[in-house]
Amino acid sequence: MHCLTRIREAMNTRKSSVHVHHCFNYLRQMILCEGNPTIEPVIPILGRRSVNAEVPRVCKDWTKLYDLAHDNYYSVASSNSSSLLY
């Protein structure tokens, strides 16, 4: 929720920050790597919560899916170019 709040604030003020870029990257990782508590586990330190960002990440390889979508797009484009939205 923290990242969604930061992104909303950046959109409302039209001012981005390094933190907002981190939040977009974090959301991307969550989507591509599946929900997994090892992405950024929270560890208690002195009664406060801290994020351990040094945990190794193992993401899925989306290359085949991207290639398939690319090939499919151009297959459709070559057969019916007038109906494509750009």
Side-chain angles (χ1 to χ4, degrees):
M1 294 303 279
H2 150 99
C3 274
L4 295 177
T5 299
R6 296 288 184 205
I7 291 169
R8 182 181 40 111
E9 289 171 356
M11 292 176 71
N12 287 340
T13 62
R14 296 180 184 241
K15 293 181 181 175
S16 189
S17 69
V18 172
H19 193 102
V20 172
H21 288 278
H22 153 79
C23 286
F24 274 116
N25 193 44
Y26 179 77
L27 292 173
R28 181 188 62 82
Q29 288 174 2
M30 292 298 293
I31 292 166
L32 293 177
C33 300
E34 76 186 56
N36 185 333
T38 61
I39 290 207
E40 279 191 2
V42 175
I43 53 175
I45 295 179
L46 304 174
R48 303 180 95 189
R49 297 175 83 84
S50 178
V51 174
N52 180 0
E54 296 183 15
V55 174
R57 295 175 175 92
V58 179
C59 296
K60 300 198 180 292
D61 181 5
W62 289 80
T63 305
K64 289 183 182 180
L65 181 62
Y66 290 139
D67 291 344
L68 178 63
H70 179 270
D71 294 346
N72 184 59
Y73 175 84
Y74 285 103
S75 174
V76 171
S78 66
S79 65
N80 191 6
S81 61
S82 63
S83 66
L84 291 178
L85 298 175
Y86 294 99

